[in-house]
Amino acid sequence: NLAGNALHGGVEGFDKKLWSVVDVAQGDEPSVTLEYVSPDGEEGYPGDLQTRVTYTLTDERALRIDMEAVTSRATVVNLTNHSYFNLSGLEDATVHQHVVSINADAFVQVDENLIPTGELASVEMFPAMDFRRPKKIGQDLDSVPPRGYDHCYALDAHELDDAVVQVTHPVTGIVMRMYTNQPGVQFYTGNFLSGGAPAKSTQAEGATYGPHSGFCLEAQMFPDAINQPNFASPVLRPGETYRHTTIYAFDLID
C-alpha cells in the first residue's frame, strides 16, 4: 500500500478496524481489553489471527499496553503502538525542544524509500542518530533525510523493568520513560503530518497538527524482518502466542 511495500499492516491496518470490548476492570489500576480477529487472507496475510490488547492505567502514573496474538496458520506478526506525544501540552508547535535519550548503540539502516537494508549501523558513525546521551530532537533533525527521524533503533540488551527511552520537556518538566520487551523502537518525529487535523491545545484558534508537532516511540521487532535473514523472525506459528508489552511512564523533573 506504499510504493509496493506494506505499511501499517496494509490498506486497512488494525488501527482502522472495529475492535470488540471483552473486559473492563475498575479499581486502582483500571483497564480495558479489546479483541480483533483478522480473517485468513486479510491484507494478504495467512491465517485467522486472534489479537487482544489490554490498556492499563497503573498506580505508578503509567500507561501499560499488553498485546497477545494466536494464529491458525504461520503468519507475520509485528504489532506496535503509534501514539503521538508532545510533552509541552502543545504549547510548542513542534517537538524540537524535547530532550531524548535512547539506550541503543545501533539503528536499522534504510534505503531511499525507508526500507531496511538488513544491516545495523553504529550510531557512533552517524552523530545525528546518536541519542545515547540526552539531546534535543531539533539539534540534528534537519540533517536526517528525508524529513527527520523515522528509524528503528536496535535497543541494547534490556529487561522489561529497564527504561530504554527517556524524553523530557525542559519547560513543563514532564518526563516520559518507555519500557518494553521488544528488541527495537521506531523513533518517528511526525515528518509527514499534514496539518489537516485541528490541535487540541491553548494555541491560537485554528492551530493544527503539522510536521514535527508530535513524536512516536513504537516498540517492535525490526521492520521488514520477514525479508532480512539477519533479523529475528517475525513469524508466528500455530500453537505459539505472540506477547508484547510496552509501558509509557510519566513523572516530573525533581
Side-chain angles (χ1 to χ4, degrees):
N1 61 310
L2 183 67
N5 302 297
L7 179 68
H8 298 161
V11 176
E12 289 191 3
F14 285 4
D15 61 308
K16 297 179 177 65
K17 300 299 182 180
L18 183 62
W19 292 59
S20 300
V21 177
V22 295
D23 187 61
V24 176
Q26 306 293 338
D28 294 337
E29 294 194 335
S31 68
V32 59
T33 300
L34 308 177
E35 181 181 75
Y36 176 70
V37 179
S38 176
D40 184 20
E42 184 174 69
E43 296 294 341
Y45 293 95
D48 296 320
L49 186 73
Q50 181 180 9
T51 306
R52 286 194 176 192
V53 57
T54 299
Y55 297 93
T56 303
L57 294 177
T58 78
D59 58 7
E60 296 180 338
R61 290 178 290 195
L63 171 64
R64 177 177 176 130
I65 305 172
D66 293 292
M67 308 179 200
E68 290 190 352
V70 294
T71 183
S72 63
R73 295 175 60 193
T75 194
V76 175
V77 180
N78 190 15
L79 306 177
T80 192
N81 175 68
H82 202 301
S83 294
Y84 286 89
F85 297 94
N86 184 318
L87 304 184
S88 77
L90 274 178
E91 291 303 316
D92 293 345
T94 71
V95 294
H96 292 182
Q97 298 303 309
H98 288 61
V99 178
V100 177
S101 61
I102 303 175
N103 294 345
D105 291 331
F107 66 97
V108 177
Q109 280 193 311
V110 295
D111 63 20
E112 64 277 6
N113 294 315
L114 299 179
I115 301 302
T117 65
E119 301 297 326
L120 297 181
S122 169
V123 297
E124 197 164 330
M125 302 299 294
F126 298 88
M129 303 299 294
D130 191 353
F131 284 92
R132 292 175 298 177
R133 294 182 179 85
K135 72 174 181 182
K136 291 183 178 180
I137 291 176
Q139 177 176 316
D140 298 312
L141 183 141
D142 289 340
S143 67
V144 180
R147 302 184 185 183
Y149 296 100
D150 191 4
H151 297 78
C152 185
Y153 281 81
L155 298 171
D156 296 343
H158 62 282
E159 302 294 335
L160 183 57
D161 57 357
D162 298 324
V164 294
V165 182
Q166 178 171 301
V167 186
T168 305
H169 190 272
V171 176
T172 64
I174 297 175
V175 181
M176 185 177 82
R177 297 182 179 91
M178 180 185 187
Y179 306 79
T180 186
N181 62 355
Q182 297 298 292
V185 59
Q186 189 84 10
F187 178 42
Y188 176 56
T189 47
N191 312 327
F192 298 98
L193 293 177
S194 64
K200 298 179 181 179
S201 71
T202 57
Q203 294 182 62
E205 184 177 351
T208 60
Y209 294 123
H212 307 149
S213 60
F215 65 89
C216 302
L217 294 168
E218 308 163 47
Q220 57 183 246
M221 302 186 73
F222 297 162
D224 197 39
I226 188 64
N227 297 311
Q228 305 297 344
N230 293 335
F231 295 168
S233 173
V235 174
L236 180 70
R237 292 179 169 82
E240 300 175 342
T241 300
Y242 169 90
R243 291 185 174 90
H244 171 150
T245 296
T246 293
I247 300 169
Y248 301 104
F250 297 88
D251 208 339
L252 292 173
I253 298 174
D254 293 334

